[in-house]
Amino acid sequence: MMTSMENPRQVVRKFLARPQHEGVGAVVRRSIGRFELRYFDPFLVLDEFSVSAPAGFPDHPHRGFETVTYMLEGAVTHEDFEGHRGTIKAGDVQWMTAGRGIVHSEMPAGPGTSKGLQLWVNLSSHNKMIEPGYQEIQSKDMASTTSDGVTVRVIAGQSMGVRSPVCTRTPTMYLDFTVRPHAAARQPVCATWNAFAYVLEGEGVFGVGGEKAGPHHLLLLGQGDGVEVWNKSDKPLRFLLIAGEPIGEPVAQLGPFVMNTEEEIDMTINDFEFNINGFEKAKHWKSQALVALGVE
């Protein structure tokens, strides 16, 4: 996998994503969206989650951004107030555009522990109030290729000659690399985009200067036209490489609502409380998961 780069990026910051509680009984390792890194334009949150029934993420709203759920183990059942329902299994991805508003639930399907990642991608001001929508890709349909000891799954963008069918309103690249021992991955990244890596398994050496990192570490990458990663160990390395075009607009956030101004946040709270302007169907909707639990 030889790709020439004039100015490869280096790691400018590294930290470990530590476990914290989120939802109802779920545990997440949050690396973006915590106090050390509130926002990495255009990315609002990155959670690596682990959840077992009856814990999960019951009925909750979103407005103003997109959520990308990528399952690693187990499965999660998703349902929303528009009647959309489905199960995301290991290797599947769901790219959900919350837009002007959605209320949904995400609960583990079946026994055992379900693990995955959820990335929140901000939307520009002219896209924040678009209609909600979904793009879903099953694992068997994921764009993927292998060369020189490197396998890549392309969730968004393109790599090693293969391209994802996902349409990203905020231009985004989302790649899942597995690198065999003593192999190296090289990936071009648009020079004007912000980029980071997140290690899932093994240990890698990242970027110019050779920053070592193991599981649950987030590495922010500096400026450049690409990134190089080496696996100098005897075990496979698996990491995510994610990059996006900065939006460059003010961010006003209150939990699951992300707008540009505090006034828009106040309007969103009002819309949600009174079931208007995109939240009309929330008034009489309750997820099957909550109904099954007997929650009024």
Side-chain angles (χ1 to χ4, degrees):
M1 182 189 172
M2 300 304 293
T3 301
S4 61
M5 285 172 280
E6 294 182 2
N7 182 26
R9 297 181 183 226
Q10 63 180 355
V11 175
V12 296
R13 193 172 177 192
K14 177 181 84 169
F15 52 83
L16 178 66
R18 293 182 173 83
Q20 66 183 58
H21 292 282
E22 197 70 26
V24 177
V27 175
V28 306
R29 290 178 178 268
R30 179 163 295 171
S31 48
I32 299 175
R34 55 190 239 177
F35 68 91
E36 298 100 328
L37 186 62
R38 286 293 183 197
Y39 182 51
F40 188 52
D41 193 2
F43 305 112
L44 296 153
V45 166
L46 179 66
D47 281 346
E48 181 183 0
F49 62 83
S50 177
V51 59
S52 303
F57 306 94
D59 305 12
H60 59 280
H62 293 295
R63 174 182 275 181
F65 61 99
E66 299 184 304
T67 67
V68 185
T69 305
Y70 182 38
M71 293 302 300
L72 301 177
E73 296 178 22
V76 164
T77 294
H78 167 275
E79 52 182 313
D80 72 19
F81 69 178
E82 293 282 356
H84 184 278
R85 178 183 168 89
T87 299
I88 316 167
K89 301 176 181 177
D92 295 352
V93 65
Q94 180 197 74
W95 201 291
M96 184 188 83
T97 302
R100 67 197 301 256
I102 204 154
V103 178
H104 72 160
S105 74
E106 301 155 295
M107 302 295 285
T113 301
S114 294
K115 297 181 180 180
L117 298 119
Q118 188 167 93
L119 176 72
W120 291 13
V121 184
N122 200 9
L123 289 169
S124 63
S125 55
H126 69 272
N127 279 326
K128 284 191 176 295
M129 295 297 284
I130 62 176
E131 290 298 318
Y134 295 89
Q135 299 174 81
E136 294 170 318
I137 301 177
Q138 293 184 345
S139 182
K140 64 181 178 64
D141 299 323
M142 185 80 67
S144 176
T145 191
T146 300
S147 177
D148 298 331
V150 177
T151 298
V152 64
R153 307 184 86 229
V154 184
I155 295 161
Q158 60 182 326
S159 179
M160 293 168 56
V162 295
R163 178 188 293 271
S164 166
V166 168
C167 171
T168 59
R169 287 164 183 80
T170 300
T172 304
M173 181 180 74
Y174 190 145
L175 308 175
D176 176 1
F177 281 102
T178 300
V179 184
R180 278 201 329 232
H182 312 296
R186 295 175 178 86
Q187 174 64 37
V189 179
C190 183
T192 58
W193 290 15
N194 285 330
F196 67 89
Y198 187 80
V199 184
L200 297 174
E201 300 172 17
E203 182 180 84
V205 179
F206 291 79
V208 178
E211 184 74 41
K212 282 187 178 181
H216 317 301
H217 278 89
L218 181 92
L219 301 103
L220 298 187
L221 301 170
Q223 295 303 304
D225 61 0
V227 64
E228 300 174 315
V229 182
W230 296 267
N231 182 358
K232 297 184 179 181
S233 74
D234 294 322
K235 296 180 180 180
L237 163 68
R238 186 180 182 188
F239 69 95
L240 304 177
L241 178 61
I242 299 175
E245 182 176 54
I247 294 172
E249 295 178 352
V251 175
Q253 180 174 2
L254 182 65
F257 304 136
V258 183
M259 303 301 289
N260 295 109
T261 67
E262 293 301 328
E263 290 77 12
E264 290 171 341
I265 290 292
D266 291 342
M267 288 173 57
T268 298
I269 294 168
N270 186 75
D271 291 347
F272 180 60
E273 287 183 350
F274 290 97
N275 306 120
I276 58 175
N277 295 328
F279 291 110
E280 287 83 355
K281 293 182 180 179
K283 186 173 184 178
H284 301 293
W285 181 80
K286 187 186 298 180
S287 69
Q288 294 180 28
L290 277 191
V291 172
L293 291 171
V295 176
E296 293 299 326

